Amino acid sequence: MWPTICLLLLAALVALAFFVIHKPQSFRRELDAQSEKLLALQRSFEQQSAERQAQQQALFNSMVEGVLLLDRNGQIQLVNHSLEEMFGVTADVRGQTILEAFRLPELAQLARQLPDKRLVRGYELELGSVEDRWVQINAAAVSDRDGAHHGAILVFHDLTRLKQLENTRQEFVANVSHELRTPLSLIKGFVETLLDGAKDDRELSTRFLQTIEKHTDRLTYLIEDLLTISHLESGRIVMNLKTVDLHKETSRVRDDLQSRAKEKDVKVENQVPPGMMVRADGERFQQVLFNLVENAIKYGKQAGHVIVGARAAPPKKIEVWVQDDGPGIPPESKDRVFERFYRVDRARSRETGGTGLGLAIVKHIVQAHGGEVGLKSELGKGITFSFTLMQDDSADS
Ligand code: ADP
């Protein structure tokens, strides 16, 4: 009996041992397989979210507008390249508040209001840190369907260029109005005096009418110059490029201004080497040379000497210059004489019928030819204006 019982017990023990040893091993394998699957799933989620983040970052970085994402605590989550450029940000500002990152209380205030306001449109801000920069901000709070606040997105448009254009336009309109008003009020004054009885005095009325004529001429020149400038600035101007003989054109301009030069006893000398050719629009080139030689006569000294010269400026350009021995201009005016309506001596320019646009026209025409303008002057020792033009290739052969 006992041996049978012992045998049975032994069999049960073996069965138990088999269960204890074998079953957990398969159980563990199953567990391992499950956790392996979970890990793979987690890795794929992480990869997908990293890809999504990279895509989001690439999308934001491709935008011209600056983008700023804030989390629910008002800390910066993301800034794109355009925003970094706008604000001159070089360090990593993620995790910082707007005030810490940009030191702009006005912007920080705007972001603080977003959870309540939800949306801000067309808010204009001048960036104090970066000079003369303007941005327009559109901002929105980010929340889920239940209305819980999750952060905010702010989009910045750079308004600097628009503001500059607006200022230039306003300045231009103010200048033009001023330029038109002066001769018009003089004309009106003389007409009124004539109507008040001066017309009965033949000599006086002739003098007044001559003055009126002078001012109407001035208005005509001004309007012609304004039309030229607006045409040139429109960028739609087509240059009719052809081979221009520099020496010949200079002689033509000198002849056209002969009577003006004679009035002041000024000698205009053409030192341009014969046979020098440039690629230019003939009429526009004449206008450039005419304005420069006319100025040299006008502002140069009585019985002065004006020289027009040219030299090759390798590899492919020719430099033309107009030199006078007049009073020159002070150093602080050198960078400004090419601006519209800038005059060194206002009274002198008006008295000689100047519009203040001659050099601005010169600069535009030369630049439209792909050339550059320059000047050298020493007060009391005259001035030399120069410009470059493309050498005519056919002239080489
Ligand atoms: P304006 O019609 O008044 O002559 P410009 O644009 O031609 O206008 O010239 C701008 C200003 O530059 C002039 O008002 C004058 O003060 C100065 N300027 C130009 N050319 C000369 C020169 N050759 N010598 C001295 N000053 C000059």
Side-chain angles (χ1 to χ4, degrees), residues 169-189:
R169 192 186 58 79
Q170 278 171 359
E171 215 174 278
F172 185 62
V173 171
N175 276 327
V176 171
S177 319
H178 179 78
E179 295 293 330
L180 291 172
R181 205 171 44 215
T182 316
L184 274 176
S185 55
L186 284 166
I187 291 169
K188 188 166 166 26

Side-chain angles (χ1 to χ4, degrees), residues 295-296 298-299 324 328-329 337 342-345 349 354-360 383 385:
N295 275 356
K298 214 161 65 170
Y299 300 109
D324 68 55
I329 55 168
V337 280
Y342 182 82
R343 284 135 167 153
V344 180
D345 183 344
S349 163
T355 61
L357 293 172
L359 289 178
I383 189 164
F385 281 97

Side-chain angles (χ1 to χ4, degrees), residues 257 290-300 324 358-359 385:
L257 284 163
F290 187 96
N291 286 6
L292 293 178
V293 177
E294 189 193 31
N295 275 356
I297 298 170
K298 214 161 65 170
Y299 300 109
D324 68 55
L359 289 178
F385 281 97

